C-alpha cells in the first residue's frame, strides 16, 4: 500500500523542479493548432450540453491531485488495474470523458502522437472556464501520460463533499497550495451541478445530529429539501450556485448568504482564514479571477516524476487492446 503522506511530499518537491520544465507554447512547432482544436471541441460540447463545461474542468482537479497531472484519471479499468474512475470521489460522478476522446481523436488526425492526454485536460479546463465567462490565461504544457492509475491513491487523497475547512486547508497545504488557492479553486463551483447524494446528510442529519446544517439559509434548505426529499432519488442534480452556466463570483455571494450547495463549499465560511477570501471574492470578481489563475497554474505544476508516454487513446496505455478493458463512459 502506498503512503499518501510520502506521496504528497514527493509531489510537492517535484512540482517546483518539473513545473519549470513545462512551458507555454509547447506545441507551437510540433502541433501549432493544438490549443485551437481543444477550444473548438470544448465549445461544441458546451453547445450540446452546458453542464459539459463544469464536467471537463473538474477532470483536471481529479487528475492533478492524484500522482500529479498525468492523465491517470482517464484510464479505463483493466483486470490488472483498478482505475481511478471507480474511486469513491469519482464513481457515478466524473463525466464528459467522451469530450476528451473527441479532442484526442481530432489531435491524432492533425498531429499523431504529439499531444498528451494530460495536457489536453489542462487546456480543456482553461477553455471551459473562459468559454463560460471566466478569465483566460496561458497554460504551461509538455506533460507525459502515466502508464498506470491508482484507485487506492485517489481514495486516500481526494476530499469528499462532507470535508470541513480544517481538513481542506491541511490537504491543500500538503500540495504547497495556500488558503487563497483553496478558496479560489473552490470557486470553480461557480458552474455546474451536484447530486442530492452529496447533500442529503446536510439537509437531514448534519454531523449525526438529526438536524439540518445550521449554516444553511432556511429558505435555501426549503428549496433543496424539495429537490432532494428524504428517501428520494439521490442522483437528481441541483445547481452549485445561482448562475450555474456563467463563470463569475456568484458562488461566493451565495456562500456569504448561507447558500452553498456542498458542505465542502459552505464550510469555507466557518474559519476566519477561509472566510476572509470568501468575502473578498464575493465583492471583487477581478480579485477572484486573478487568484483563480494563480491557483490553476500551481495545480497544473504538480507532477509525479514517473516515466510516461504520449497515449494514442486517452483511455488506454499504448499497447493495451480493447478486449483487455472494462469500458467506462
Amino acid at each position: 500500500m502506498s503512503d499518501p503522506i510520502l506521496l504528497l511530499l514527493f509531489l510537492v518537491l517535484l512540482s517546483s523542479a518539473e513545473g519549470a520544465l513545462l512551458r507555454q507554447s509547447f506545441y507551437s512547432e510540433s502541433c501549432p493548432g493544438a490549443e485551437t482544436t481543444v477550444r473548438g471541441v470544448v465549445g461544441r460540447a458546451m453547445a450540446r450540453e452546458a453542464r459539459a463545461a463544469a464536467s471537463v474542468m473538474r477532470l483536471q482537479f481529479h487528475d492533478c491531485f492524484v500522482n500529479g497531472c498525468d492523465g491517470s484519471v482517464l484510464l479505463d479499468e483493466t483486470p490488472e488495474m483498478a482505475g481511478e474512475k471507480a474511486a469513491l470521489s469519482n464513481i457515478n460522478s466524473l463525466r464528459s470523458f467522451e469530450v476528451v476522446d473527441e479532442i484526442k481523436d481530432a489531435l491524432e488526425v492533425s498531429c499523431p502522437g504529439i499531444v498528451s492526454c494530460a495536457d489536453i485536460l489542462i487546456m480543456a479546463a482553461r477553455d471551459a472556464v473562459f468559454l463560460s465567462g471566466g478569465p483566460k490565461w496561458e497554460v504551461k504544457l509538455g506533460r507525459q501520460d502515466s502508464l498506470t492509475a491508482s484507485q487506492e491513491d485517489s481514495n486516500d487523497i481526494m476530499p469528499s463533499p462532507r470535508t470541513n475547512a480544517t481538513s481542506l486547508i491541511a490537504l491543500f497545504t500538503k500540495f504547497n497550495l495556500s488558503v487563497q488557492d483553496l478558496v479560489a479553486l473552490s470557486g470553480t463551483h461557480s458552474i455546474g451541478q451536484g447530486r442530492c447524494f452529496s447533500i442529503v446528510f446536510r439537509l437531514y442529519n448534519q454531523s449525526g445530529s438529526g438536524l439540518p446544517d445550521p449554516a444553511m439559509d432556511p429558505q435555501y434548505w426549503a428549496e433543496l429539501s424539495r429537490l432532494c426529499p428524504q428517501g428520494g432519488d439521490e442522483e437528481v442534480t441541483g445547481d452549485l450556485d445561482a448562475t450555474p452556466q456563467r463563470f463569475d463570483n456568484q458562488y461566493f455571494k451565495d456562500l456569504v448568504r448561507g447558500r452553498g450547495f456542498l458542505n465542502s463549499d459552505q464550510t469555507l465560511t466557518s474559519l476566519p482564514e477561509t472566510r476572509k477570501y470568501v468575502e473578498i471574492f464575493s465583492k471583487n470578481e477581478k480579485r477572484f479571477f486573478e487568484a483563480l489563475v494563480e491557483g490553476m497554474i500551481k495545480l497544473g505544476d504538480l507532477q509525479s516524476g514517473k516515466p510516461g508516454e504520449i497515449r494514442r487513446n486517452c483511455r488506454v496505455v499504448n499497447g493495451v487492446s480493447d478486449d483487455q478493458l472494462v469500458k467506462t463512459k
Side-chain angles (χ1 to χ4, degrees):
M1 177 178 177
S2 59
D3 186 327
I5 303 301
L6 290 177
L7 171 63
L8 292 172
L9 290 173
F10 185 53
L11 285 171
V12 169
L13 288 172
L14 280 165
S15 65
S16 296
E18 298 230 349
L21 300 177
L22 304 174
R23 58 182 172 85
Q24 297 176 9
S25 303
F26 183 84
Y27 298 109
S28 60
E29 295 184 5
S30 59
C31 189
E35 295 195 46
T36 300
T37 297
V38 173
R39 184 165 300 158
V41 174
V42 171
R44 290 192 293 274
M46 290 171 58
R48 293 192 298 265
E49 181 196 25
R51 190 181 173 195
S55 301
V56 168
M57 179 180 59
R58 190 171 175 224
L59 291 172
Q60 176 181 342
F61 290 86
H62 288 247
D63 187 42
C64 292
F65 268 173
V66 181
N67 299 315
C69 309
D70 61 1
S72 59
V73 74
L74 301 174
L75 287 173
D76 283 343
E77 181 178 348
T78 71
E80 294 77 30
M81 182 194 74
E84 293 167 24
K85 291 178 179 178
L88 295 174
S89 62
N90 300 341
I91 191 167
N92 298 324
S93 179
L94 284 189
R95 55 200 301 278
S96 290
F97 294 107
E98 72 283 353
V99 178
V100 179
D101 294 338
E102 186 178 345
I103 294 170
K104 184 60 172 173
D105 289 346
L107 290 172
E108 285 298 298
V109 170
S110 58
C111 312
I114 298 296
V115 182
S116 69
C117 301
D119 278 347
I120 287 173
L121 292 182
I122 299 295
M123 290 185 279
R126 182 269 311 272
D127 294 338
V129 170
F130 174 65
L131 294 173
S132 299
K136 180 182 179 182
W137 65 96
E138 294 297 322
V139 291
K140 293 189 285 185
L141 304 170
R143 298 164 188 79
Q144 290 193 319
D145 298 321
S146 69
L147 303 177
T148 188
S150 176
Q151 186 178 125
E152 181 179 41
D153 289 343
S154 183
N155 286 337
D156 287 339
I157 294 169
M158 292 304 299
S160 83
R162 297 174 180 243
T163 307
N164 61 36
T166 300
S167 297
L168 287 170
I169 290 173
L171 173 62
F172 275 63
T173 298
K174 290 171 184 174
F175 285 108
N176 205 27
L177 295 168
S178 67
V179 173
Q180 176 180 283
D181 295 327
L182 161 62
V183 179
L185 290 172
S186 296
T188 56
H189 284 173
S190 169
I191 56 175
Q193 297 181 315
R195 295 182 295 160
C196 289
F197 171 82
S198 299
I199 65 166
V200 286
F201 73 97
R202 289 191 69 206
L203 298 176
Y204 307 110
N205 191 27
Q206 177 78 332
S207 302
S209 66
L211 298 170
D213 181 356
M216 186 180 293
D217 171 66
Q219 182 177 345
Y220 190 51
W221 177 87
E223 294 170 12
L224 291 183
S225 65
R226 287 193 294 270
L227 178 73
C228 307
Q230 281 185 297
D233 182 357
E234 294 189 353
E235 294 304 308
V236 170
T237 58
D239 297 334
L240 292 178
D241 81 351
T243 57
Q245 294 182 23
R246 179 164 183 81
F247 201 97
D248 53 22
N249 67 338
Q250 183 64 46
Y251 165 85
F252 297 105
K253 295 177 182 179
D254 288 349
L255 293 188
V256 170
R257 297 172 57 205
R259 297 176 68 88
F261 188 82
L262 300 174
N263 188 77
S264 53
D265 293 328
Q266 193 61 57
T267 189
L268 297 176
T269 63
S270 68
L271 297 178
E273 55 265 52
T274 50
R275 186 176 182 90
K276 167 188 171 182
Y277 290 108
V278 170
E279 292 180 345
I280 290 172
F281 297 155
S282 73
K283 298 172 184 175
N284 192 327
E285 188 174 80
K286 183 174 183 289
R287 284 283 303 275
F288 164 45
F289 284 0
E290 291 170 347
L292 174 79
V293 170
E294 180 181 336
M296 291 291 276
I297 291 172
K298 289 168 70 174
L299 180 67
D301 281 345
L302 292 175
Q303 305 295 306
S304 71
K306 297 177 181 178
E309 64 180 7
I310 307 299
R311 290 186 211 135
R312 293 187 295 273
N313 177 340
C314 290
R315 293 175 179 263
V316 299
V317 173
N318 295 341
V320 174
S321 61
D322 288 345
D323 59 3
Q324 294 176 274
L325 300 175
V326 178
K327 275 283 186 179
T328 303
K329 295 184 179 179

